[in-house]
Each structure stands twice: as C-alpha cells, then as structure tokens.
Amino acid sequence: MTEAEDRKPRSDEARYDPEITSEFAIPRGLDVPRGEDSETTSEFAVPEGLQNLQPPSTEPEGSAFSPPSTYSADQAPSAFTPATGVPLVSLVKDAPWQDRMRTMLRMPVTERPAPEPVQRVEEGGPAVPRVLDLTLRIGELLLAGGEGAEDVEAAMFAVCRSYGLDRCEPNVTFTLLSISHQPSLVDDPVTASRTVRRRGTDYTRLAAVFRLVDDLTDPETHVSLEEAYRRLAEIRRNRHPYPGWALTLASGLLAGAASVLVGGDVVVFVAAAVGAMLGDRLAWLCAGRGLPEFYQFTVAAMPPAAIGVALTLAHVDVNGSAVITGGLFALLPGRALVAGVQDGLTGFYITASARLLEVMYFFVGIVLGVLVVLYFGVKIGGKLNPDAAPTLSERPLIQIAASMLLSLTFAVLLQQERSTVLWVTLNGGVAWSVYGAMHYVGGISPVASTAVAAGLVGLFGQLLSRYRFASALPYTTAAIGPLLPGSATYFGLLSMAQNDVDKGLVSLAKAASLAMAIAIGVHLGSEISRLFLRVGSAGKRRAAKRTRGF
C-alpha cells in the first residue's frame, strides 16, 4: 500500500466502527448515499427537485406605488355598481370658492370631480414644486392672520386645483402647513411643508390674500405663477393701514367705551382710556425688548387696574370697577378664542387645542397682572366691592352708542380695511341691542342672550363676506367685542384677591361660559348662513365623516 493510499480516510470502517457509541452513528448494514456537497444547509433551503419549478425573478425593485407584475386590467374583476347607480358629484359654479373647496375636501379622494383648470400652464404640465410653494405661502399668510384651519385648507386646495393639480391633500396644524400631490396611482407623491413662526393681526393683508385666491379660481381671470408670486410679494410688503399712534388711541377709546357699557360716566371713560393707552405703550415696549406675549399681556393689564385702585384710594366718587373692567376689554383674546372653538367644531382638534392653550396663557397673563395690583390695593386699604353689579338697562341709547364705538375701535386694532369698518360697527350695535333686549328686558339668562347675539353676528358677517367674496373674520371678530365677558372676569379676580375663592371661581366659570357661548354662536350663525346656498348636487352638505373614526 502506498503512502497516499495509507492517508486515504477509511470512511466505511470509520462509520461502522463498533467502538462508536453515539446515538448519531449510522447502524451497520445501512448504506447512506453520499452527496457531492457535504455542507449543512438551512431548513429554509428549497429541496432538490423543486428548484426548477420556481421561475427566476426578473422584476426589478420599484416604488411602493408600482402595480404588481401579476396585475392585469384585462383580467380584473368587474366593478360593482349599486342598484341606484353611481351618484354624479357636481358643484354649483355660482357658489363662493370657499364652499366649493370645502365640499370637495370633505369628500373622499376617489369621489371628487375631475379638476377644471382655470389657469393656463406651460407646455408639459404645471411646475409642481412652484405651485406647491405658492400654495404653502398663501396658506401661511392666512393661518398667521388668524383664519380657521378649514378655511386655510380650502384656500390651499383651491390654489392647487386652479393650476390643474388634482389629488392634492393639504394639512394644517397650528404651526405647520403641508401639502401632498400624487400625479397618479403609479407615481410617487410630491410633498412640501412650511412652518408658521410669526403671527400678526392684519385683516387688510388677509383680505388681499382672499382676493388673490378668488382671482386664481375665477375662470375669466388668468393669473400666471409669476404674477401670483408678484402679487403675493406686494401683499407681504404692504404697510399697515393705521399708524402706531392710531392704534394706541383706538385701544384707549375701546377701554373707555367698554367702561361706559358697565355703568361708567365721563370721568370713568377718561380714566379707563388713559389706563389702556399706558398699558398699550408698555406692551409695545416689552415687545421691542423681545419679551414673549405672556409678559406683554401681564404688563398691559396693570395700568388700568392701578388707576382704578388709585381712584378708590383717593375717595373719588367714581366707579373704580368700571375703570378696571374697561381696561380688560381691550386685552381679552376674543379673536383667538373664536378661531380655536371653530377649529374644534370643524374637526381640527390639534389646531383647536393649540389655539385654546394660547388663549389660556394670555388669560393667565391678564389674571396675573390684575391680581397683583388688586392684592396690593386691598392690602393698603382699597375698598373695592365685588358685589357691585353694573346696571345697564337705564340708558340703552348710550349703551348702544358705546357698543358701536367699541366695535369701531376694535376694527382699527385689527387693521381692517376702511371699507369694512362701517359694516362691522353696525354689526356690533345690532349684537348689543339683541343682547340687551333679551337679557335686561326679557329676563333671559346672559349665556343664552350672548349665544343668540353672537349667532346673529356670525350670520350677518358670513352674508357680508359672501356678498364681497372675502373672509368673514373682518365682519365678525370686532362685532363680538361688546359681548366679551370683561365684567365677569374682573369681579371673579376681585373676589379671589379678597380671599373669597369660591365666589371668584363661580364668576370666572361664568366668564368662561360666556366666552364659549360667543364662540359657538358665531360659528353656528356662519353655518346657518351656508344653508341658504345650494352646495353640491345632493342639495345638502356632506357630513365631515373623517371625524367619526371610519
């Protein structure tokens, strides 16, 4: 035997060695065929004989929106058609674009009618990134101006459809705007977003943005992308219609008119106006130093309260409570409250929660500023009576005139267009007349009277906005000024400053109820006004099914 043969393993003898006692040893007499590959394979390996049955995969890896290779339109099952047929969805062209876009947003994507582009686009289709960018910039101005989330989504959707972009889904939260466009079921979607970092109240700018969107949706008006960008830049550069001194004077007149509403005379009017103007200037100073709005509201609430306490300590025969109440009217965040409740009622709960949280912070800042002054005023002997309820039924004409002055000055503070100031002033006078007739003459509860008066404000404001094809905010926000719960807020704070916490909490709860009645009434009036218009082919508005969880 050669040396190579001696080194050759004797597998048979090794396998049948009687000395091997392992249970894994192959018994003698059992011949096991040996394969060429002796490596151990996984239990997930394809057995021999089945490998040829599996065709090799030649389909390249594609997008998640690519149709499967096994799908064929020729072999697809027949579509199911209900016995009543598929309803045809059509929109009333004479209705405002807000209603048409809102109706489409509340539809599923598959049920929306095909777009009818009213703007000419370049050859090869619209510039999708530029259209989405323009849409986000318009939505940013609307949201920063205090517009409701649903109206912002409707405007964004209208801009996209006016340039021929179908299958768009806008999404609005308190600080973030996003929009997604999917060209077709087999194409990847294009998504863009924008953050809203700065907010400012300027209803003139808000009205200009609405006119731009109205021109974009008008089939008889052609606005190119370049023209839309130019107009948007002009809107951003426009200066406020009223100078700073006019705003300070308006805040003083607003506080004076509010003090007359709660029983003040000429001396109270002047004292409340001076306190409000001092608070406004201090707030501007804090804003210039970069302090947050919470501290601005706290500082602005101190001068009216200090003047009211000083008049009481000086034993001047005036109603110090009316002075402080008038100063609070100029600070109560009625605009943010109405927008927050409106977002909650329309299903935008995240945005509504953020807006209401902002209102709560502003209110806490006002409470802190007034409580500090009232606490020290009580400690040094100030005789402020929390039970001194104002009597307003003795001079209704003066109260109506004061409410109209309050609405007018509130409109100036909101930087409204001069053409809308007269309408909102009349709307505020109507609101207070209805409230006074129901509460002081009819004996109805203040919450119910406030809700009805606010409902009329929302109704008339929405009708005026439809007549002018503009936003409803300039016609409603300032008109609810006379209804704000300044008196209930003050007397609640005064009771807490005098260690009567239970009575103070009851008064503050009444103020919260009045505020909610205002917000709900305004929104309900706006919704009732839409019932006069026929929107959609079914003759009624589609319910917001997305808020039901399915």
Side-chain angles (χ1 to χ4, degrees):
M1 182 178 298
T2 64
E3 183 178 356
E5 292 177 351
D6 187 51
R7 289 198 304 267
K8 184 178 180 180
R10 302 174 182 177
S11 57
D12 295 339
E13 295 180 2
R15 286 192 298 169
Y16 302 115
D17 191 352
E19 296 181 359
I20 298 177
T21 58
S22 172
E23 61 272 18
F24 297 101
I26 301 176
R28 185 182 295 274
L30 181 61
D31 188 12
V32 179
R34 296 177 58 190
E36 297 179 358
D37 189 5
S38 60
E39 296 182 359
T40 304
T41 59
S42 170
E43 61 270 19
F44 299 102
V46 181
E48 289 189 22
L50 295 180
Q51 296 178 353
N52 296 331
L53 300 180
Q54 183 179 7
S57 177
T58 59
E59 181 180 357
E61 183 178 359
S63 170
F65 298 93
S66 301
S69 59
T70 57
Y71 174 80
S72 175
D74 298 335
Q75 301 177 358
S78 57
F80 172 74
T81 302
T84 57
V86 178
L88 176 63
V89 180
S90 60
L91 301 177
V92 179
K93 296 182 181 296
D94 295 335
W97 62 265
Q98 297 97 318
D99 284 341
R100 290 187 282 113
M101 296 302 110
R102 187 182 294 109
T103 302
M104 295 189 64
L105 280 174
R106 293 180 177 180
M107 296 179 185
V109 179
T110 55
E111 297 182 11
R112 294 174 183 170
E116 299 177 0
V118 298
Q119 306 296 334
R120 297 186 212 136
V121 297
E122 295 80 2
E123 185 178 357
V128 176
R130 296 192 64 195
V131 173
L132 296 184
D133 179 71
L134 175 67
T135 302
L136 290 174
R137 291 178 183 272
I138 291 177
E140 179 189 11
L141 286 179
L142 293 177
L143 187 63
E147 192 64 73
E150 188 178 31
D151 293 328
V152 175
E153 280 196 0
M156 295 172 64
F157 192 70
V159 174
C160 287
R161 287 183 64 89
S162 65
Y163 285 103
L165 297 187
D166 193 16
R167 308 184 68 86
C168 287
E169 286 296 332
N171 187 20
V172 176
T173 59
F174 186 59
T175 57
L176 182 65
L177 298 170
S178 63
I179 187 166
S180 178
H181 166 63
Q182 186 179 351
S184 64
L185 292 176
V186 296
D187 292 329
D188 296 337
V190 180
T191 303
S193 62
R194 192 174 183 89
T195 302
V196 180
R197 301 190 182 277
R198 297 186 61 184
R199 299 178 181 274
T201 304
D202 189 344
Y203 281 1
T204 300
R205 179 180 298 175
L206 189 70
V209 176
F210 261 77
R211 284 194 293 269
L212 174 58
V213 178
D214 186 62
D215 290 341
L216 290 175
T217 56
D218 188 3
E220 299 180 358
T221 304
H222 169 60
V223 181
S224 62
L225 276 174
E226 288 74 14
E227 177 67 15
Y229 269 107
R230 186 190 64 79
R231 291 180 57 177
L232 194 62
E234 290 181 354
I235 293 173
R236 285 180 174 274
R237 288 194 301 264
N238 281 347
R239 300 183 60 183
H240 299 308
Y242 307 103
W245 64 266
L247 299 180
T248 301
L249 180 61
S251 64
L253 293 177
L254 189 152
S259 66
V260 174
L261 282 179
V262 293
D265 52 12
V266 177
V267 178
V268 172
F269 180 94
V270 175
V274 172
M277 287 189 288
L278 288 176
D280 181 76
R281 286 293 92 190
L282 289 176
W284 277 101
L285 181 62
C286 294
R289 300 295 181 180
L291 288 178
E293 286 186 299
F294 175 84
Y295 302 105
Q296 297 177 27
F297 275 82
T298 302
V299 172
M302 289 183 176
I307 291 180
V309 173
L311 291 176
T312 303
L313 291 175
H315 302 288
V316 180
D317 189 16
V318 296
N319 190 350
S321 300
V323 176
I324 303 175
T325 302
L328 291 180
F329 265 86
L331 299 175
L332 293 178
R335 172 185 58 86
L337 175 66
V338 172
V341 174
Q342 177 182 352
D343 289 340
L345 294 176
T346 52
F348 294 85
Y349 300 114
I350 296 178
T351 307
S353 301
R355 288 187 190 272
L356 294 178
L357 185 62
E358 181 187 40
V359 171
M360 186 193 72
Y361 271 101
F362 290 163
F363 189 77
V364 170
I366 297 172
V367 168
L368 182 60
V370 175
L371 273 181
V372 169
V373 176
L374 292 181
Y375 178 78
F376 285 104
V378 172
K379 286 297 183 181
I380 62 179
K383 301 292 185 180
L384 296 172
N385 185 12
D387 296 327
T391 56
L392 308 179
S393 58
E394 299 178 357
R395 43 181 189 175
L397 296 180
I398 296 178
Q399 305 297 332
I400 293 175
S403 66
M404 296 177 67
L405 177 61
L406 193 153
S407 299
L408 186 148
T409 53
F410 201 176
V412 173
L413 289 176
L414 294 174
Q415 301 282 359
Q416 292 189 196
E417 292 180 308
R418 292 178 173 85
S419 60
T420 64
V421 171
L422 176 61
W423 294 107
V424 74
T425 301
L426 296 176
N427 203 7
V430 171
W432 181 259
S433 301
V434 173
Y435 172 79
M438 293 183 63
H439 179 53
Y440 297 106
V441 179
I444 304 175
S445 67
V447 176
S449 303
T450 301
V452 173
L456 290 178
V457 168
L459 175 63
F460 294 150
Q462 191 65 230
L463 293 178
L464 287 172
S465 68
R466 291 173 182 277
Y467 175 73
R468 300 174 64 94
F469 290 94
S471 172
L473 289 181
Y475 301 98
T476 58
T477 305
I480 64 172
L483 304 177
L484 293 176
S487 179
T489 302
Y490 162 70
F491 287 114
L493 298 180
L494 180 59
S495 298
M496 296 182 68
Q498 295 179 348
N499 293 326
D500 194 352
V501 180
D502 294 338
K503 190 174 183 178
L505 291 177
V506 171
S507 185
L508 290 179
K510 178 183 176 181
S513 301
L514 292 174
M516 292 297 294
I518 292 173
I520 296 176
V522 169
H523 182 263
L524 183 60
S526 300
E527 292 295 312
I528 291 176
S529 66
R530 294 192 181 105
L531 296 179
F532 292 101
L533 294 178
R534 182 181 177 88
V535 179
S537 59
K540 61 181 180 179
R541 299 178 63 198
R542 299 177 61 91
K545 296 182 179 179
R546 62 181 176 186
T547 64
R548 299 181 181 177
F550 56 89

